[in-house]
Amino acid sequence: VEDVIEQADYLYGSGETEKLYRLLVQHKDSDDAELLWRLARSSRDLAQLGSTSAEEKRQLTYDSLEYAKKALEKNESNFAAHKWYGICLSDVGDYEGIKTKIGNAIVIKEHFQRAVELNPKDATTIHLIGIWCYSFAEMPWYQRKIAATLFATPPTSTFQEALRYFHMAEEADPNFYSKNLLFLGKTYLKLNNKKMALLWLSKAKEYPAQTEEDKQVQKEALELLNSI
């Protein structure tokens, strides 16, 4: 198992998404949580590729949730299993419609919070809680109505709360992720603080793009800077 994990981490670091998936999917019946959450992540990464067909994307999205769920069953105190379960559950919601997505929201946040309890230094999970807060702060009225029918007290949040998490993520690991810089800028814009928005959006725009996502972030940051 250790050899496979070492090989998997090397492939992940090298951006070998397809090779990594082929390596890990052979171990889908494993009882090892470390292997299983990595398989969940790699299935999701493969689903995100532009070259993956719509049908495969859907299948991989549902598979990734199954692997993450199995990882949690094998080891409830594995922080990464909680983190990826939350991420994969959110992805499945994109296929199941807004009602399911809102319905899953509380469970998703609980798993992210449990992941942070287990590993307070994981900046990505802290960032994800920030994204969760931002989404609920920005939620349109018709979605709020759906939320009100699903929960006795529907989940709510504020841009201030989102901002706090994005800053916490930055403190845990400065400059770790282009999207965290972008969302710091976007949140400051929502709070009408143009000076701070300019600062963070400029950082996002100048972030060295290594992935497809980084390129998207640069583009969005540039558009927002131009609009200010």
Side-chain angles (χ1 to χ4, degrees), residues 175 177-185 198-209 214 217-222 225:
N175 225 22
Y177 188 26
S178 60
K179 209 168 168 186
N180 199 60
L181 304 173
L182 175 69
F183 268 89
L184 275 159
L198 284 168
L199 171 79
W200 290 102
L201 290 170
S202 301
K203 286 188 184 195
K205 182 179 73 84
E206 283 148 26
Y207 194 90
D214 291 338
V217 162
Q218 282 184 343
K219 191 173 158 228
E220 192 177 338
L222 185 61
L225 282 165

